[in-house]
Amino acid sequence: MVSYQLVIDCAAPERMARFWAGALRYTVEPPPGGFDTWRAYWRSLGVPEEELGEGDCSDSIVDPEGHGPRIWFQQVPEGKVVKNRFHLDVMVGGRREDVPLETRRARVDAEVERLVRAGASVVRVLSQPGVDHYAVAMADPEGNEFDVV
């Protein structure tokens, strides 16, 4: 298996790290050993102060169980312009084979409510009569699309 991290371009890395840590039940990654903050770490590498922004510069999240990839939120100057070519599915409903549609729908709706309180917005509900599928398309605080399934 190849090791990888997921990199998401954004305007506000700390805000995105906090949102996605909550959404995925990850934790904001602590700074490397020997540093009290990420800001101190980035300064030690010579990153100019004007590139660091506000706060402690926390810009990555990790799976506390160690199974999922590290996710780094990379600050970029340009904003999001078009639809994502890649998106995450936050899977909370359960497997179709094991969980009835109404239970999956209730689980998805509860997660959607939690994520809206955290700063996401609903884009559309993905449901059709007679089809055993229910999901909600959402956008994170910077407009990146993802689905809750």
Side-chain angles (χ1 to χ4, degrees):
M1 180 172 156
V2 170
S3 177
Y4 69 96
Q5 77 175 350
L6 175 63
V7 179
I8 299 175
D9 291 349
C10 63
E14 283 186 63
R15 176 180 68 167
M16 293 293 282
R18 283 191 309 273
F19 171 80
W20 280 106
L24 300 176
R25 293 169 175 82
Y26 268 43
T27 58
V28 173
E29 185 176 29
F35 296 94
D36 292 334
T37 65
W38 278 100
R39 173 178 293 285
Y41 171 76
W42 292 122
R43 281 180 178 157
S44 79
L45 297 179
V47 175
E49 193 67 34
E50 60 273 8
E51 290 183 25
L52 294 178
E54 302 293 322
D56 75 355
C57 301
S58 296
D59 62 0
S60 56
I61 61 176
V62 292
D63 177 356
E65 303 294 321
H67 302 295
R70 176 183 193 258
I71 302 175
W72 177 43
F73 298 92
Q74 176 177 292
Q75 187 169 11
V76 296
E78 67 278 353
K80 182 179 174 298
V81 179
V82 297
K83 185 180 183 325
N84 299 14
R85 295 294 305 250
F86 179 104
H87 74 263
L88 298 179
D89 284 347
V90 177
M91 302 172 77
V92 297
R95 293 173 16 127
R96 184 176 291 118
E97 301 82 19
D98 302 327
V99 182
L101 179 60
E102 287 310 310
T103 302
R104 294 193 319 263
R105 180 187 313 265
R107 290 175 180 174
V108 167
D109 288 346
E111 185 69 1
V112 166
E113 287 179 29
R114 185 180 79 82
L115 294 172
V116 165
R117 286 191 306 274
S121 57
V122 173
V123 175
R124 68 185 167 286
V125 174
L126 307 168
S127 178
Q128 295 178 351
V131 177
D132 188 18
H133 177 73
Y134 183 78
V136 176
M138 300 190 75
D140 73 13
E142 290 198 10
N144 301 299
E145 296 92 1
F146 66 99
D147 293 339
V148 179
V149 181

